[in-house]
Amino acid sequence: MLNIAKTFSTDKTANIREKELNNLDCSGKAFKETQEQYKSRWRSIRVMYLTMFLSSVGFSIVITSIWPYLKKIDLTADASFLGWVVAAYSVGQMVASPILGLWSNYRPRREPLIVSIFINVAANILYAYVHIPHSHNKYYMLAARTCVGLGAGNVAVVRSYVAGATTLNERNSAMANMSASQALGFILGPVLQACMSFIGERGVTWELIDLQLNMYTAPALLGALFGVVNIVFVIAVLREHCVDDLGRSFNNINSISEERVEVTGDAEEGIDQVAVVTSNLLFFVILFIFAVFETISTPLSMDMYSWTRAQAVYYNGIILAAIGFESILVFMAVKSISKITGDRLVLLGGLVIIFCGFLILLPWGNQFPKIQWTGIQNTTTNGTFSATTNVTSSPPRNDLSEPTGCPAQQTWCQYIPVIHLAQYITSDILIGMGYPACNVMSYTLYSKILGPKPQGVYMGWLTASGSGARTLGPVFVSQVYTSLGPRWAFGAVCGLVVAAVVLLGVMYKRLIAFSLRYGRLQEQVAA
Protein backbone atom coordinates (compact mmCIF):
# COMPACT_ATOMS: atom_id res chain seq x y z
CA MET A 1 0.00 0.00 0.00
CA LEU A 2 2.83 2.36 0.88
CA ASN A 3 4.47 1.71 -2.51
CA ILE A 4 1.19 2.29 -4.34
CA ALA A 5 0.63 5.52 -2.40
CA LYS A 6 4.19 6.63 -3.08
CA THR A 7 3.80 5.88 -6.80
CA PHE A 8 0.47 7.72 -6.91
CA SER A 9 2.00 10.70 -5.11
CA THR A 10 4.99 10.78 -7.46
CA ASP A 11 2.74 10.60 -10.55
CA LYS A 12 0.53 13.32 -9.15
CA THR A 13 3.50 15.56 -8.44
CA ALA A 14 4.83 14.94 -11.95
CA ASN A 15 1.44 15.77 -13.47
CA ILE A 16 1.18 18.93 -11.40
CA ARG A 17 4.74 19.89 -12.37
CA GLU A 18 4.02 19.34 -16.06
CA LYS A 19 0.75 21.24 -15.85
CA GLU A 20 2.43 24.10 -13.98
CA LEU A 21 5.29 24.30 -16.45
CA ASN A 22 2.89 24.45 -19.37
CA ASN A 23 0.30 26.76 -17.88
CA LEU A 24 1.79 29.02 -15.21
CA ASP A 25 4.01 32.03 -15.49
CA CYS A 26 5.09 35.14 -13.58
CA SER A 27 1.49 35.94 -12.70
CA GLY A 28 0.14 32.39 -12.67
CA LYS A 29 -1.39 32.63 -16.17
CA ALA A 30 0.67 31.54 -19.16
CA PHE A 31 -0.50 31.85 -22.74
CA LYS A 32 0.80 31.66 -26.28
CA GLU A 33 2.32 34.89 -27.48
CA THR A 34 0.51 36.66 -30.32
CA GLN A 35 2.31 38.27 -33.24
CA GLU A 36 1.48 41.74 -31.95
CA GLN A 37 2.82 40.89 -28.51
CA TYR A 38 5.98 39.54 -30.12
CA LYS A 39 6.50 42.80 -32.02
CA SER A 40 5.81 44.88 -28.93
CA ARG A 41 8.21 42.75 -26.88
CA TRP A 42 11.06 43.29 -29.32
CA ARG A 43 10.31 47.00 -29.66
CA SER A 44 10.68 47.24 -25.90
CA ILE A 45 13.89 45.20 -25.94
CA ARG A 46 15.30 47.59 -28.55
CA VAL A 47 14.47 50.50 -26.25
CA MET A 48 16.69 48.73 -23.71
CA TYR A 49 19.42 48.55 -26.35
CA LEU A 50 19.01 52.29 -26.89
CA THR A 51 19.17 52.91 -23.14
CA MET A 52 22.45 51.01 -22.88
CA PHE A 53 23.80 52.83 -25.94
CA LEU A 54 22.95 56.31 -24.66
CA SER A 55 24.14 55.47 -21.15
CA SER A 56 27.54 54.34 -22.44
CA VAL A 57 27.80 57.44 -24.66
CA GLY A 58 27.11 59.60 -21.61
CA PHE A 59 29.90 57.83 -19.73
CA SER A 60 32.56 57.52 -22.42
CA ILE A 61 32.09 60.96 -23.93
CA VAL A 62 33.98 62.51 -20.99
CA ILE A 63 36.23 59.65 -19.82
CA THR A 64 39.34 60.74 -21.76
CA SER A 65 39.01 64.39 -20.70
CA ILE A 66 38.37 63.94 -16.98
CA TRP A 67 42.06 64.10 -16.08
CA PRO A 68 42.96 67.26 -18.06
CA TYR A 69 39.68 68.93 -16.98
CA LEU A 70 40.42 68.09 -13.36
CA LYS A 71 43.92 69.57 -13.62
CA LYS A 72 42.51 72.70 -15.25
CA ILE A 73 39.79 73.48 -12.69
CA ASP A 74 41.78 72.58 -9.56
CA LEU A 75 45.57 72.78 -9.37
CA THR A 76 45.58 70.78 -6.12
CA ALA A 77 44.26 67.65 -7.88
CA ASP A 78 46.78 64.88 -8.55
CA ALA A 79 46.71 61.44 -10.13
CA SER A 80 45.65 59.87 -6.85
CA PHE A 81 42.55 62.07 -6.70
CA LEU A 82 41.80 61.13 -10.31
CA GLY A 83 41.37 57.58 -9.07
CA TRP A 84 38.69 58.74 -6.65
CA VAL A 85 36.91 60.78 -9.32
CA VAL A 86 36.77 57.84 -11.71
CA ALA A 87 35.78 55.51 -8.86
CA ALA A 88 32.97 57.87 -7.75
CA TYR A 89 30.93 56.82 -10.79
CA SER A 90 31.11 53.21 -9.70
CA VAL A 91 30.35 53.99 -6.06
CA GLY A 92 27.14 55.67 -7.14
CA GLN A 93 26.26 52.77 -9.42
CA MET A 94 27.05 50.23 -6.72
CA VAL A 95 24.68 51.96 -4.28
CA ALA A 96 21.88 52.49 -6.78
CA SER A 97 21.89 49.15 -8.62
CA PRO A 98 20.34 46.90 -5.91
CA ILE A 99 17.80 49.60 -5.04
CA LEU A 100 16.71 50.10 -8.65
CA GLY A 101 16.73 46.32 -9.19
CA LEU A 102 14.44 45.79 -6.19
CA TRP A 103 12.22 48.63 -7.38
CA SER A 104 11.91 47.02 -10.81
CA ASN A 105 10.82 43.71 -9.27
CA TYR A 106 7.67 45.26 -7.79
CA ARG A 107 6.88 48.22 -10.02
CA PRO A 108 6.85 48.86 -13.79
CA ARG A 109 10.37 49.15 -15.21
CA ARG A 110 9.50 52.56 -16.60
CA GLU A 111 9.56 54.17 -13.14
CA PRO A 112 13.16 53.38 -12.06
CA LEU A 113 14.39 53.98 -15.61
CA ILE A 114 12.94 57.49 -15.88
CA VAL A 115 14.09 58.52 -12.40
CA SER A 116 17.63 57.20 -12.93
CA ILE A 117 17.98 58.82 -16.35
CA PHE A 118 16.79 62.15 -14.93
CA ILE A 119 19.48 61.93 -12.23
CA ASN A 120 22.03 61.31 -14.98
CA VAL A 121 20.88 64.38 -16.91
CA ALA A 122 21.13 66.61 -13.83
CA ALA A 123 24.58 65.22 -12.98
CA ASN A 124 25.94 65.97 -16.46
CA ILE A 125 24.71 69.55 -16.19
CA LEU A 126 26.45 69.84 -12.80
CA TYR A 127 29.65 68.48 -14.38
CA ALA A 128 29.55 71.33 -16.92
CA TYR A 129 29.47 73.90 -14.08
CA VAL A 130 32.13 72.52 -11.71
CA HIS A 131 34.60 75.22 -12.81
CA ILE A 132 32.47 78.04 -11.35
CA PRO A 133 33.17 77.72 -7.58
CA HIS A 134 36.24 79.61 -6.38
CA SER A 135 37.62 76.66 -4.40
CA HIS A 136 37.26 72.91 -3.86
CA ASN A 137 36.32 72.42 -7.51
CA LYS A 138 37.64 68.88 -7.52
CA TYR A 139 35.05 67.91 -4.91
CA TYR A 140 32.25 69.28 -7.06
CA MET A 141 33.51 67.09 -9.89
CA LEU A 142 33.59 64.17 -7.47
CA ALA A 143 29.93 64.82 -6.57
CA ALA A 144 28.93 65.13 -10.24
CA ARG A 145 30.55 61.81 -11.16
CA THR A 146 28.92 60.13 -8.16
CA CYS A 147 25.48 61.30 -9.32
CA VAL A 148 26.21 60.10 -12.87
CA GLY A 149 26.92 56.71 -11.29
CA LEU A 150 23.64 56.77 -9.38
CA GLY A 151 21.83 57.22 -12.67
CA ALA A 152 23.85 54.44 -14.27
CA GLY A 153 22.46 51.99 -11.72
CA ASN A 154 19.65 51.40 -14.23
CA VAL A 155 21.93 48.91 -16.00
CA ALA A 156 20.56 46.34 -13.53
CA VAL A 157 17.01 47.17 -14.64
CA VAL A 158 17.95 46.92 -18.32
CA ARG A 159 19.67 43.54 -17.94
CA SER A 160 16.83 42.21 -15.80
CA TYR A 161 14.26 43.29 -18.37
CA VAL A 162 16.12 41.71 -21.31
CA ALA A 163 16.71 38.48 -19.34
CA GLY A 164 13.01 38.24 -18.46
CA ALA A 165 11.75 39.18 -21.92
CA THR A 166 13.78 36.61 -23.90
CA THR A 167 13.72 32.84 -24.22
CA LEU A 168 16.81 30.80 -23.44
CA ASN A 169 17.59 30.48 -27.16
CA GLU A 170 17.12 34.22 -27.71
CA ARG A 171 19.14 35.33 -24.71
CA ASN A 172 22.69 34.93 -26.02
CA SER A 173 21.84 36.96 -29.09
CA ALA A 174 19.89 39.59 -27.13
CA MET A 175 22.64 40.00 -24.52
CA ALA A 176 25.27 40.24 -27.27
CA ASN A 177 23.19 42.87 -29.08
CA MET A 178 22.81 44.79 -25.82
CA SER A 179 26.57 44.64 -25.26
CA ALA A 180 27.15 45.70 -28.87
CA SER A 181 24.88 48.69 -28.28
CA GLN A 182 26.92 49.52 -25.21
CA ALA A 183 30.16 49.15 -27.18
CA LEU A 184 28.80 51.34 -29.97
CA GLY A 185 28.19 53.98 -27.32
CA PHE A 186 31.79 53.64 -26.20
CA ILE A 187 32.83 54.18 -29.82
CA LEU A 188 30.72 57.26 -30.39
CA GLY A 189 31.57 58.84 -27.03
CA PRO A 190 35.35 59.15 -27.54
CA VAL A 191 34.81 60.12 -31.19
CA LEU A 192 32.54 62.98 -30.13
CA GLN A 193 35.03 63.96 -27.43
CA ALA A 194 37.88 63.94 -29.97
CA CYS A 195 35.81 66.10 -32.34
CA MET A 196 34.95 68.53 -29.55
CA SER A 197 38.61 68.85 -28.58
CA PHE A 198 38.86 71.32 -31.50
CA ILE A 199 36.58 73.67 -29.57
CA GLY A 200 39.60 74.22 -27.35
CA GLU A 201 40.00 74.78 -23.63
CA ARG A 202 38.68 78.34 -23.83
CA GLY A 203 35.73 77.74 -26.10
CA VAL A 204 32.89 80.25 -25.84
CA THR A 205 31.07 81.68 -22.83
CA TRP A 206 27.32 82.20 -22.51
CA GLU A 207 27.28 84.86 -19.82
CA LEU A 208 23.50 84.86 -19.36
CA ILE A 209 23.61 81.44 -17.71
CA ASP A 210 27.31 81.59 -16.80
CA LEU A 211 28.12 78.63 -19.05
CA GLN A 212 31.52 77.93 -20.58
CA LEU A 213 31.16 75.76 -23.67
CA ASN A 214 34.56 74.18 -24.27
CA MET A 215 36.18 70.81 -25.03
CA TYR A 216 35.42 69.62 -21.47
CA THR A 217 31.86 70.86 -20.87
CA ALA A 218 30.33 70.36 -24.34
CA PRO A 219 30.48 66.53 -24.15
CA ALA A 220 28.74 66.50 -20.76
CA LEU A 221 25.96 68.75 -22.04
CA LEU A 222 25.52 66.53 -25.07
CA GLY A 223 25.27 63.55 -22.70
CA ALA A 224 22.48 65.38 -20.86
CA LEU A 225 20.63 65.91 -24.15
CA PHE A 226 20.93 62.19 -24.93
CA GLY A 227 19.36 61.47 -21.55
CA VAL A 228 16.32 63.58 -22.40
CA VAL A 229 15.92 61.68 -25.69
CA ASN A 230 16.15 58.40 -23.77
CA ILE A 231 13.36 59.42 -21.38
CA VAL A 232 11.09 60.19 -24.36
CA PHE A 233 11.62 56.71 -25.84
CA VAL A 234 11.07 54.97 -22.49
CA ILE A 235 7.74 56.76 -22.04
CA ALA A 236 6.54 56.34 -25.61
CA VAL A 237 7.66 52.81 -26.54
CA LEU A 238 8.56 50.66 -23.51
CA ARG A 239 5.96 48.08 -22.43
CA GLU A 240 6.17 45.29 -19.84
CA HIS A 241 6.82 41.81 -21.28
CA CYS A 242 7.93 38.47 -19.88
CA VAL A 243 8.45 35.04 -21.44
CA ASP A 244 9.71 31.78 -19.98
CA ASP A 245 12.70 29.79 -21.24
CA LEU A 246 10.49 28.01 -23.79
CA GLY A 247 8.83 31.17 -25.14
CA ARG A 248 5.44 31.26 -23.39
CA SER A 249 4.31 34.80 -22.65
CA PHE A 250 3.53 36.07 -19.14
CA ASN A 251 1.05 38.70 -18.10
CA ASN A 252 3.30 40.45 -15.60
CA ILE A 253 7.07 40.55 -15.50
CA ASN A 254 7.19 41.84 -11.92
CA SER A 255 5.49 39.05 -9.97
CA ILE A 256 5.90 35.32 -9.43
CA SER A 257 3.25 32.73 -8.69
CA GLU A 258 3.22 31.33 -5.14
CA GLU A 259 1.89 28.04 -6.54
CA ARG A 260 4.77 27.88 -8.97
CA VAL A 261 7.32 28.36 -6.23
CA GLU A 262 5.72 25.63 -4.11
CA VAL A 263 5.43 23.03 -6.86
CA THR A 264 8.62 23.47 -8.85
CA GLY A 265 11.01 24.70 -6.23
CA ASP A 266 11.86 27.80 -8.30
CA ALA A 267 12.41 29.80 -5.15
CA GLU A 268 15.77 31.18 -4.13
CA GLU A 269 16.83 27.87 -2.61
CA GLY A 270 16.45 26.29 -6.08
CA ILE A 271 19.15 28.58 -7.47
CA ASP A 272 22.73 27.38 -7.12
CA GLN A 273 23.99 30.08 -4.77
CA VAL A 274 27.59 28.91 -5.14
CA ALA A 275 27.34 29.49 -8.89
CA VAL A 276 25.77 32.89 -8.21
CA VAL A 277 28.63 33.95 -5.93
CA THR A 278 31.20 32.60 -8.39
CA SER A 279 29.61 34.55 -11.24
CA ASN A 280 29.70 37.73 -9.16
CA LEU A 281 33.37 37.20 -8.33
CA LEU A 282 34.27 36.62 -11.98
CA PHE A 283 32.30 39.69 -13.04
CA PHE A 284 34.11 41.69 -10.34
CA VAL A 285 37.50 40.65 -11.73
CA ILE A 286 36.49 41.41 -15.33
CA LEU A 287 35.22 44.90 -14.50
CA PHE A 288 38.18 45.57 -12.18
CA ILE A 289 40.59 44.82 -15.02
CA PHE A 290 38.84 47.10 -17.48
CA ALA A 291 38.51 49.88 -14.87
CA VAL A 292 42.29 49.73 -14.40
CA PHE A 293 42.78 49.95 -18.15
CA GLU A 294 40.44 52.87 -18.82
CA THR A 295 41.62 54.85 -15.78
CA ILE A 296 45.33 54.66 -16.46
CA SER A 297 45.30 55.13 -20.24
CA THR A 298 45.38 58.94 -20.20
CA PRO A 299 48.00 59.43 -17.42
CA LEU A 300 50.10 56.59 -18.86
CA SER A 301 50.14 58.06 -22.35
CA MET A 302 50.95 61.55 -21.04
CA ASP A 303 53.84 60.16 -18.96
CA MET A 304 55.28 57.78 -21.55
CA TYR A 305 54.83 59.77 -24.77
CA SER A 306 54.98 63.38 -23.48
CA TRP A 307 51.51 64.14 -24.79
CA THR A 308 49.80 67.35 -23.77
CA ARG A 309 46.33 67.33 -22.24
CA ALA A 310 44.72 68.07 -25.61
CA GLN A 311 46.81 65.40 -27.35
CA ALA A 312 45.96 62.80 -24.70
CA VAL A 313 42.24 63.48 -25.11
CA TYR A 314 42.53 63.39 -28.90
CA TYR A 315 44.64 60.26 -29.29
CA ASN A 316 43.02 58.23 -26.51
CA GLY A 317 39.63 59.17 -27.87
CA ILE A 318 40.62 57.64 -31.20
CA ILE A 319 42.06 54.55 -29.48
CA LEU A 320 38.97 53.98 -27.33
CA ALA A 321 36.75 54.44 -30.37
CA ALA A 322 38.75 51.81 -32.24
CA ILE A 323 38.47 49.45 -29.25
CA GLY A 324 34.71 50.03 -29.19
CA PHE A 325 34.44 49.14 -32.87
CA GLU A 326 36.53 46.03 -32.23
CA SER A 327 34.19 45.13 -29.37
CA ILE A 328 31.17 45.21 -31.67
CA LEU A 329 32.87 42.71 -33.97
CA VAL A 330 33.65 40.52 -30.96
CA PHE A 331 30.04 40.65 -29.76
CA MET A 332 28.79 39.62 -33.17
CA ALA A 333 31.29 36.76 -33.28
CA VAL A 334 30.46 35.64 -29.74
CA LYS A 335 26.82 35.03 -30.71
CA SER A 336 27.92 32.35 -33.16
CA ILE A 337 30.91 30.98 -31.28
CA SER A 338 28.99 30.45 -28.02
CA LYS A 339 26.45 28.25 -29.85
CA ILE A 340 29.30 25.93 -30.79
CA THR A 341 31.55 26.02 -27.73
CA GLY A 342 29.16 27.10 -24.97
CA ASP A 343 29.32 30.21 -22.79
CA ARG A 344 31.97 28.96 -20.37
CA LEU A 345 34.69 28.30 -22.96
CA VAL A 346 34.19 31.75 -24.48
CA LEU A 347 34.56 33.25 -21.00
CA LEU A 348 37.75 31.27 -20.40
CA GLY A 349 39.21 32.28 -23.76
CA GLY A 350 38.48 35.94 -23.07
CA LEU A 351 40.35 35.81 -19.76
CA VAL A 352 43.39 34.25 -21.43
CA ILE A 353 43.44 37.01 -24.07
CA ILE A 354 43.18 39.72 -21.38
CA PHE A 355 46.12 38.13 -19.55
CA CYS A 356 48.22 38.34 -22.71
CA GLY A 357 47.22 41.99 -23.15
CA PHE A 358 48.47 43.04 -19.72
CA LEU A 359 51.55 40.84 -19.96
CA ILE A 360 52.60 42.67 -23.12
CA LEU A 361 52.06 46.00 -21.34
CA LEU A 362 54.84 45.31 -18.80
CA PRO A 363 57.86 47.68 -19.27
CA TRP A 364 61.06 46.25 -20.73
CA GLY A 365 64.23 47.44 -22.49
CA ASN A 366 66.73 50.20 -21.66
CA GLN A 367 64.92 53.28 -22.96
CA PHE A 368 63.34 55.52 -20.34
CA PRO A 369 60.51 58.06 -20.50
CA LYS A 370 61.30 61.74 -20.86
CA ILE A 371 61.25 63.45 -17.49
CA GLN A 372 59.14 66.50 -16.70
CA TRP A 373 61.52 68.63 -14.61
CA THR A 374 60.35 71.77 -12.82
CA GLY A 375 61.54 74.84 -14.70
CA ILE A 376 62.07 73.06 -18.03
CA GLN A 377 59.82 74.65 -20.64
CA ASN A 378 57.92 72.80 -23.30
CA THR A 379 60.09 74.49 -25.96
CA THR A 380 63.29 72.92 -24.61
CA THR A 381 65.00 70.79 -27.21
CA ASN A 382 68.06 69.68 -25.27
CA GLY A 383 68.29 65.93 -25.77
CA THR A 384 67.11 63.96 -22.78
CA PHE A 385 65.06 66.80 -21.35
CA SER A 386 63.02 67.54 -24.43
CA ALA A 387 59.32 67.77 -23.61
CA THR A 388 58.18 67.15 -27.15
CA THR A 389 57.55 63.95 -29.02
CA ASN A 390 57.40 63.05 -32.68
CA VAL A 391 53.81 62.67 -33.86
CA THR A 392 52.39 62.17 -37.32
CA SER A 393 49.24 64.27 -36.93
CA SER A 394 48.44 67.62 -35.40
CA PRO A 395 45.70 67.62 -32.77
CA PRO A 396 44.90 70.92 -31.08
CA ARG A 397 47.50 72.35 -28.70
CA ASN A 398 46.01 75.15 -26.62
CA ASP A 399 48.96 75.82 -24.33
CA LEU A 400 52.43 75.52 -25.83
CA SER A 401 54.04 76.18 -22.43
CA GLU A 402 52.29 73.22 -20.84
CA PRO A 403 54.88 70.92 -19.17
CA THR A 404 54.90 67.41 -20.58
CA GLY A 405 56.63 64.12 -19.84
CA CYS A 406 56.82 61.83 -16.81
CA PRO A 407 56.72 63.97 -13.62
CA ALA A 408 59.95 63.88 -11.63
CA GLN A 409 57.86 63.49 -8.46
CA GLN A 410 57.14 59.95 -9.67
CA THR A 411 60.59 58.60 -8.86
CA TRP A 412 60.04 55.40 -10.86
CA CYS A 413 60.12 57.49 -14.05
CA GLN A 414 63.91 57.56 -13.70
CA TYR A 415 64.47 53.79 -13.60
CA ILE A 416 61.38 52.05 -15.11
CA PRO A 417 61.74 51.54 -18.89
CA VAL A 418 59.30 53.27 -21.20
CA ILE A 419 56.27 51.37 -22.45
CA HIS A 420 56.66 51.60 -26.21
CA LEU A 421 53.75 52.83 -28.27
CA ALA A 422 53.66 49.49 -30.12
CA GLN A 423 53.22 47.72 -26.76
CA TYR A 424 50.43 50.10 -25.81
CA ILE A 425 48.54 49.63 -29.08
CA THR A 426 48.98 45.84 -29.08
CA SER A 427 47.73 45.68 -25.50
CA ASP A 428 44.72 47.82 -26.44
CA ILE A 429 43.85 45.42 -29.26
CA LEU A 430 44.07 42.31 -27.06
CA ILE A 431 42.14 43.82 -24.14
CA GLY A 432 39.57 45.13 -26.61
CA MET A 433 39.14 41.55 -27.83
CA GLY A 434 39.09 39.72 -24.49
CA TYR A 435 37.05 42.13 -22.35
CA PRO A 436 33.83 42.21 -24.44
CA ALA A 437 33.80 38.40 -24.71
CA CYS A 438 34.15 38.07 -20.93
CA ASN A 439 31.65 40.82 -20.24
CA VAL A 440 28.76 39.50 -22.31
CA MET A 441 29.34 35.85 -21.40
CA SER A 442 29.53 36.58 -17.66
CA TYR A 443 26.12 38.19 -17.33
CA THR A 444 24.51 36.01 -20.01
CA LEU A 445 25.57 32.92 -18.07
CA TYR A 446 24.48 34.60 -14.83
CA SER A 447 20.96 35.21 -16.16
CA LYS A 448 20.73 31.54 -17.20
CA ILE A 449 21.87 30.36 -13.76
CA LEU A 450 19.09 32.40 -12.12
CA GLY A 451 16.34 30.87 -14.25
CA PRO A 452 12.74 32.13 -14.47
CA LYS A 453 12.65 34.07 -11.19
CA PRO A 454 12.41 37.89 -11.57
CA GLN A 455 16.03 38.92 -11.70
CA GLY A 456 15.95 42.59 -10.71
CA VAL A 457 17.59 42.17 -7.31
CA TYR A 458 20.10 39.57 -8.50
CA MET A 459 21.05 41.73 -11.49
CA GLY A 460 21.33 44.62 -9.05
CA TRP A 461 23.89 42.67 -7.04
CA LEU A 462 25.78 41.73 -10.20
CA THR A 463 25.89 45.36 -11.26
CA ALA A 464 26.93 46.34 -7.74
CA SER A 465 29.71 43.78 -7.93
CA GLY A 466 30.92 45.33 -11.16
CA SER A 467 30.57 48.79 -9.66
CA GLY A 468 32.64 47.74 -6.67
CA ALA A 469 35.32 46.65 -9.10
CA ARG A 470 35.12 49.97 -10.94
CA THR A 471 35.45 51.69 -7.56
CA LEU A 472 38.48 49.77 -6.36
CA GLY A 473 40.17 49.48 -9.76
CA PRO A 474 40.79 53.22 -10.32
CA VAL A 475 41.85 53.76 -6.70
CA PHE A 476 44.19 50.77 -6.83
CA VAL A 477 45.85 51.63 -10.13
CA SER A 478 46.19 55.36 -9.40
CA GLN A 479 47.87 54.67 -6.05
CA VAL A 480 50.13 51.83 -7.24
CA TYR A 481 50.97 53.50 -10.54
CA THR A 482 51.86 56.82 -8.89
CA SER A 483 53.96 55.23 -6.15
CA LEU A 484 55.49 52.12 -7.74
CA GLY A 485 54.99 52.47 -11.47
CA PRO A 486 53.40 50.42 -14.26
CA ARG A 487 55.42 47.25 -13.63
CA TRP A 488 53.83 46.62 -10.24
CA ALA A 489 50.39 47.82 -11.33
CA PHE A 490 50.12 45.63 -14.43
CA GLY A 491 51.93 42.70 -12.82
CA ALA A 492 49.28 42.62 -10.08
CA VAL A 493 46.54 42.64 -12.73
CA CYS A 494 48.15 39.62 -14.44
CA GLY A 495 48.09 37.76 -11.12
CA LEU A 496 44.42 38.61 -10.65
CA VAL A 497 43.53 37.25 -14.09
CA VAL A 498 45.34 33.99 -13.32
CA ALA A 499 43.30 33.69 -10.10
CA ALA A 500 40.08 34.21 -12.11
CA VAL A 501 41.07 31.48 -14.58
CA VAL A 502 41.71 29.07 -11.69
CA LEU A 503 38.33 29.93 -10.10
CA LEU A 504 36.53 29.36 -13.41
CA GLY A 505 38.26 26.00 -13.84
CA VAL A 506 37.34 24.82 -10.34
CA MET A 507 33.68 25.89 -10.63
CA TYR A 508 33.29 25.05 -14.32
CA LYS A 509 30.71 22.26 -13.92
CA ARG A 510 28.44 24.33 -11.67
CA LEU A 511 28.13 27.30 -14.02
CA ILE A 512 25.17 25.93 -16.01
CA ALA A 513 21.69 27.18 -16.86
CA PHE A 514 18.83 26.69 -14.38
CA SER A 515 16.75 24.84 -16.99
CA LEU A 516 19.64 22.48 -17.65
CA ARG A 517 20.25 21.86 -13.96
CA TYR A 518 16.61 20.78 -13.49
CA GLY A 519 16.47 18.80 -16.73
CA ARG A 520 14.01 21.02 -18.60
CA LEU A 521 16.23 21.50 -21.62
CA GLN A 522 18.95 19.50 -23.28
CA GLU A 523 22.55 20.58 -22.74
CA GLN A 524 23.15 21.66 -26.31
CA VAL A 525 20.33 24.19 -25.98
CA ALA A 526 21.14 25.62 -22.58
CA ALA A 527 24.91 25.47 -22.30
Side-chain angles (χ1 to χ4, degrees), residues 402-454:
E402 176 187 337
T404 59
C406 199
Q409 294 86 345
Q410 296 175 170
T411 56
W412 58 263
C413 294
Q414 302 175 44
Y415 59 85
I416 294 292
V418 69
I419 297 174
H420 298 278
L421 187 59
Q423 286 178 264
Y424 184 58
I425 298 299
T426 303
S427 175
D428 289 344
I429 293 172
L430 290 175
I431 294 171
M433 184 185 303
Y435 170 73
C438 291
N439 182 278
V440 67
M441 284 299 100
S442 58
Y443 63 75
T444 300
L445 187 58
Y446 185 71
S447 71
K448 293 180 179 180
I449 291 170
L450 296 178
K453 180 180 175 64

Side-chain angles (χ1 to χ4, degrees), residues 77 129 244 313 326 400 505:
Y129 279 93
D244 66 7
V313 171
E326 179 189 16
L400 295 179

Side-chain angles (χ1 to χ4, degrees), residues 362-426:
L362 292 175
W364 58 275
N366 55 9
Q367 182 180 346
F368 300 94
K370 296 172 183 177
I371 307 298
Q372 179 192 132
W373 297 101
T374 303
I376 299 297
Q377 298 299 317
N378 195 43
T379 54
T380 300
T381 58
N382 183 21
T384 304
F385 304 110
S386 172
T388 61
T389 184
N390 293 326
V391 295
T392 58
S393 58
S394 300
R397 295 172 66 96
N398 299 98
D399 186 3
L400 295 179
S401 65
E402 176 187 337
T404 59
C406 199
Q409 294 86 345
Q410 296 175 170
T411 56
W412 58 263
C413 294
Q414 302 175 44
Y415 59 85
I416 294 292
V418 69
I419 297 174
H420 298 278
L421 187 59
Q423 286 178 264
Y424 184 58
I425 298 299
T426 303

Side-chain angles (χ1 to χ4, degrees), residues 1 7 60 74 115 139 196 207 237 258 321 405 420 434 448 455:
M1 290 294 292
T7 301
S60 64
D74 198 324
V115 170
Y139 296 109
M196 292 180 188
E207 295 183 357
V237 181
E258 294 294 334
H420 298 278
K448 293 180 179 180
Q455 299 182 7

Side-chain angles (χ1 to χ4, degrees), residues 107-227:
R107 297 290 300 171
R109 299 294 203 280
R110 189 180 299 175
E111 293 179 9
L113 284 173
I114 291 175
V115 170
S116 59
I117 297 169
F118 178 80
I119 292 173
N120 194 290
V121 170
N124 274 300
I125 294 174
L126 173 61
Y127 182 89
Y129 279 93
V130 295
H131 62 279
I132 290 181
H134 298 293
S135 62
H136 305 297
N137 302 74
K138 63 183 182 182
Y139 296 109
Y140 287 99
M141 179 182 281
L142 187 71
R145 293 300 297 171
T146 302
C147 291
V148 171
L150 289 172
N154 61 20
V155 170
V157 181
V158 172
R159 289 173 177 163
S160 172
Y161 183 94
V162 174
T166 53
T167 68
L168 202 62
N169 286 334
E170 294 172 338
R171 198 162 306 156
N172 275 31
S173 178
M175 290 293 189
N177 289 339
M178 185 168 62
S179 296
S181 301
Q182 190 176 28
L184 186 61
F186 278 114
I187 290 177
L188 185 59
V191 168
L192 292 173
Q193 172 69 87
C195 293
M196 292 180 188
S197 65
F198 289 94
I199 299 176
E201 291 188 320
R202 284 191 172 185
V204 295
T205 301
W206 190 359
E207 295 183 357
L208 181 64
I209 57 176
D210 205 11
L211 174 65
Q212 288 186 10
L213 190 66
N214 55 36
M215 61 184 286
Y216 304 126
T217 61
L221 294 173
L222 185 59
L225 177 61
F226 287 153

